[in-house]
Structure formats: structure tokens, C-alpha cells
Amino acid sequence: MTTTTTAPQDASDEPQVHFWAVPDLTGLDFDPLLARLLHEDPVTRVRLPHGEGHAWLVTRYEDVKFVSVDPRFSRQAVYGRAITRLAPHFIPLEGAVGFADPPDHTRIRRVVARAFSARALRTLRDTAQDVMDRLLDRLERGGPPADLMELVNRPFPLAMVSELMGVPEGDRPLMGHWADTVISAAAGREASERAKAELGRYFTELIGRSHGTGKETLAAVLADALDEGTLEEHEAVGLAALIQISGAHAVGNNSANMVYALLTHPEHLARLRAEPALLPQAVDELLRYIPHRNAVGLSRIALEDVEVGGVTIPEGDPVYVSYLTANRDPSVFPDPEKLDFDRGYNPHVAFGHGPHFCPGSALARIESEILLDSLWTRFPGLRLAVPDDELRWQRGALIRGPETLPVTW
């Protein structure tokens, strides 16, 4: 259960520290502590299950955006510090773009942008539809009941990010295993660190084989950046690992959450099937509504005393922002607990905000739209094969999703 402890008060009247046990939640349940802090204590201190000390947690929309863009909050200063966190291990590889500050961050992101050009995304959309059609052919051949996690939601984004990266098809199951192990809080430090090292060695070799090939894969783009002197090897490898993991694991779970949301909101599903042009807007609302992760993502360090939401965060203190609570802030999203496909103004921050906005967001949207459209076009009677309360959800997960998603049609 989520519990709260109060630090002893002294003359300085220090604010309380909420111990955040981070329960394994199911389905679309919103973390009760997050919900309470958004409304009652929007800039506060928390302690998570691992790491040391406490960190500040910022939950309101405008405060989250402020911390996300203000250069006085540094990602680079986090590296190597045992900051309180959900996972027992430090996940990113050295040089990962997620822990870079400008100007290094700007330099690295420019390289990523080459792989996500408009032309590349058009090609990837065509590829995505072909991949999805083959997966649904296999689903149909096998007949009901079937597990969508095994047959669609895991293999589809894994295939797509591997296609982008240039990972051969035969290596993709191993890539999926590494990604799941690295990103899990339940796998344990040793297994996760070993998978991270193996992933790093793999991408070192893949990028090494991609020099001068003239291909448009991300591995080739990174190899060219090394040849140009734009990136160092550890930066290229860290970037490849970050995109591969998030593109496979995060999109796989998030797309499964979208399918589950529609299966358990039949009126929304019926509306979407009757009005297919509504799909992009519906995907945006699903992105806003779904609590796609447990706890929070990567932290920052305050480089000087900074006031946030009327509270002074001291220099040197770690700070987390919650994009989940920002997406439920009633000052921005009227009736935020409601899944509303008619929500016209929807400036959600499901992909982050500012310099660290997810570089693969456009591809993730493409995949979500193709998956939802294709699934119900092919199987209009698709429904859960077991009662909702019998579904099993991943435990100890950083990114939330079902273990299995059994369906019939």
C-alpha cells in the first residue's frame, strides 16, 4: 500500500516526506498518492523504495512544464548519484541523451532527428502496416482465444523500433528480453545490469558494422555521426539503447493499455468504430488518460535555489516531475478523470516536455493508430476472453501493462 511518513519537525519547519511504496496497480487505476498530492501538496518531498535520501515531487501541469525546461534543473548532474528511485538499479547507459544537458543534449538530439525525418516516417508507416497485417494474419490463423500481448502488442513495436535501428529480425527476441529486463524494477539489480551491459555491447558492434553503408537505419546514422565527430561512441551506444528500450517496451505496454481501455469502455469503442476519422484525437486522449508508468521517470538536480509553485527547492536537491498528474490537472483538463474523445484542446505531456520530449513520439503515434484501426477492422467482434478482474498485470514494472491480454472474437 502507499503510505506516508512525516519527518520530525524542527525549528526550520521542514516539510513532510511522503514515503511512496508505489503499489502494483491494475488496469487504469491512478496512483492514490499521486492523486492526493496533486490536489493537496503539489510541490512536496518523497522517498521511493530504493536509493538514498528524499527528492522533490512536482505534480501540477504548469510547474511540471517549468521544471522540464528551466536550465537550473540538470539531468547531467544526476548521473552517478544514488538518488531515491523506484528501480533498484540505475537504468540509463553512460552517455544516454536522457541525462545530457544543453549544449551536449542539443548536439545529440540533432543526430536523432535525422532518423525521424518526414520521409523516414512515411516509410515507417508503410512498414508498420505491413508488419501489423502479418501479425493479424497469424492471429487469425491461430484462432481464438489468443493473447494479444504475445501475438501483437509486444512483437509489433519491437519489430518497428528494430526496423528503425537496423536490428536483424533474428536478433529481435533477444532484444526484447534485454529491454524487458533492463526496464523492470522486479528483475533485480544483477540481472538488469547484466542485460544493460549486453545491450551496450550489441549496439557497439551493430554501429561498428554500419559505418559507410549508406543505409537510413538509426545505427547507420549514429555511425555517420561518429565518423563526423558529432558523437562519441558511448553517446551513440547510449542513445541506441534508450530508443530501442523505450520503443519496444514502453510502446508495447502503452498500446496494450489503449486496447484494454477500449475493451472496457464499449461506448468509446463503438464511437471510434463509427467515426474512424476520430482516431488521431482518440489516441491523444488515450495518451493523456492512461497512467502509463508507475511512480516517476528520470530526476533532475537543482543547480541553485529555485522557487517552484511557491516552494523553494534548495540547490543540490533532486527533483522529479509527474507527467501523469500534469495530465490530470483540472486547471488544464476539465473533468480530467473522464476519458473524453471530444476533448478538443488536449495539450497533454504524455511524451514529456521541453528538451527531453520523446524523440520517437511521432513513430509511437503512428504505431498506436495503425494498431487500433487494424485490430478492429480485422476483428470487429474483438472482446476480452476472461472477466476484467481476472487479468494479470505486471508486477514491479516501471512501465505499466498487462502480463497477458487474452481476447476472443
Side-chain angles (χ1 to χ4, degrees), residues 42-44 55-60 62-79 81 83 97-103 105 298-321 323 353-356:
V43 181
T44 192
W56 292 89
L57 175 64
V58 177
T59 52
R60 287 186 301 209
E62 291 300 335
D63 294 338
V64 164
K65 289 176 66 178
F66 171 75
V67 173
S68 300
V69 300
D70 194 293
R72 293 173 294 178
F73 294 102
S74 168
R75 279 275 182 82
Q76 193 168 349
V78 172
Y79 204 88
R81 288 186 51 172
I83 290 166
V97 67
F99 278 96
D101 293 331
H105 179 270
L298 305 179
S299 62
R300 295 167 172 83
I301 300 294
L303 300 180
E304 59 183 74
D305 291 359
V306 186
E307 183 176 315
V308 180
V311 177
T312 297
I313 295 179
E315 177 184 354
D317 275 12
V319 184
Y320 285 104
V321 299
Y323 294 120
H353 180 72
H356 292 282

Side-chain angles (χ1 to χ4, degrees), residues 267-277 372 376-377 379-382:
E267 69 285 0
H268 290 75
L269 177 57
R271 171 92 185 277
L272 194 55
R273 293 193 60 213
E275 303 175 46
L372 296 181
W376 272 281
T377 298
F379 304 101
L382 192 77

Side-chain angles (χ1 to χ4, degrees), residues 66-403:
F66 171 75
V67 173
S68 300
V69 300
D70 194 293
R72 293 173 294 178
F73 294 102
S74 168
R75 279 275 182 82
Q76 193 168 349
V78 172
Y79 204 88
R81 288 186 51 172
I83 290 166
T84 186
R85 58 182 180 261
L86 175 58
H89 56 294
F90 188 74
I91 290 175
L93 274 70
E94 182 185 0
V97 67
F99 278 96
D101 293 331
D104 286 340
H105 179 270
T106 308
R107 169 177 55 82
I108 297 170
R109 282 292 292 247
R110 286 200 188 106
V111 175
V112 182
R114 301 181 198 173
F116 291 102
S117 66
R119 184 178 71 173
L121 288 173
R122 284 194 297 271
T123 301
L124 285 169
R125 180 179 281 276
D126 292 339
T127 301
Q129 189 63 65
D130 290 342
V131 170
M132 177 55 61
D133 289 343
R134 290 197 298 271
L135 290 173
L136 295 184
D137 287 345
R138 183 175 66 161
L139 182 68
E140 190 169 22
R141 285 195 302 271
D147 177 15
L148 284 186
M149 288 300 291
E150 177 187 359
L151 297 175
V152 178
N153 290 90
R154 284 197 182 102
F156 179 51
L158 176 61
M160 290 308 303
V161 74
S162 298
E163 184 77 18
L164 170 75
M165 191 68 64
V167 172
E169 188 169 351
D171 292 345
R172 292 173 187 177
L174 183 59
M175 195 63 63
H177 167 71
W178 284 335
D180 287 344
T181 305
V182 170
I183 204 72
S184 171
R189 178 189 295 268
E190 184 177 340
S192 296
E193 291 293 344
R194 183 169 58 249
K196 186 165 68 172
E198 291 169 347
L199 191 65
R201 284 193 291 271
Y202 181 94
F203 280 121
T204 299
E205 295 175 4
L206 179 63
I207 293 169
R209 297 196 305 269
S210 301
H211 289 278
T213 60
K215 295 182 178 179
E216 294 186 347
T217 65
L218 183 53
V221 168
L222 294 173
D224 290 344
L226 290 178
D227 294 339
E228 297 162 1
T230 307
L231 293 182
E232 297 181 16
E233 184 177 72
H234 71 279
E235 292 173 328
V237 171
L239 184 57
L242 175 68
I243 291 176
Q244 180 74 36
I245 290 172
S246 60
H249 185 90
V251 176
N253 281 317
N254 209 29
S255 65
N257 290 333
M258 289 185 181
V259 172
Y260 172 77
L262 290 174
L263 288 172
T264 53
H265 290 73
E267 69 285 0
H268 290 75
L269 177 57
R271 171 92 185 277
L272 194 55
R273 293 193 60 213
E275 303 175 46
L278 191 63
L279 182 59
Q281 187 167 315
V283 166
D284 257 340
E285 174 65 355
L286 288 164
L287 287 166
R288 181 201 69 83
Y289 178 80
I290 290 169
H292 65 276
R293 67 168 304 116
N294 287 316
V296 281
L298 305 179
S299 62
R300 295 167 172 83
I301 300 294
L303 300 180
E304 59 183 74
D305 291 359
V306 186
E307 183 176 315
V308 180
V311 177
T312 297
I313 295 179
E315 177 184 354
D317 275 12
V319 184
Y320 285 104
V321 299
S322 173
Y323 294 120
L324 302 188
T325 53
N327 284 340
R328 297 291 182 102
D329 188 334
S331 69
V332 180
F333 305 99
D335 201 3
E337 311 305 320
K338 178 183 178 183
L339 180 63
D340 182 5
F341 287 171
D342 289 316
R343 197 180 298 277
Y345 178 67
N346 192 355
H348 68 77
V349 287
F351 292 116
H353 180 72
H356 292 282
F357 183 83
C358 174
S361 60
L363 178 58
R365 287 177 190 275
I366 288 171
E367 292 176 31
S368 298
E369 291 178 14
I370 286 176
L371 190 151
L372 296 181
D373 178 55
S374 301
L375 198 55
W376 272 281
T377 298
R378 182 75 73 92
F379 304 101
L382 192 77
R383 60 191 184 277
L384 287 174
V386 297
D388 182 9
D389 58 6
E390 291 184 13
L391 287 177
R392 298 193 310 274
W393 296 82
Q394 296 171 36
R395 301 182 62 82
L398 303 183
I399 306 298
R400 198 190 300 185
E403 286 185 8

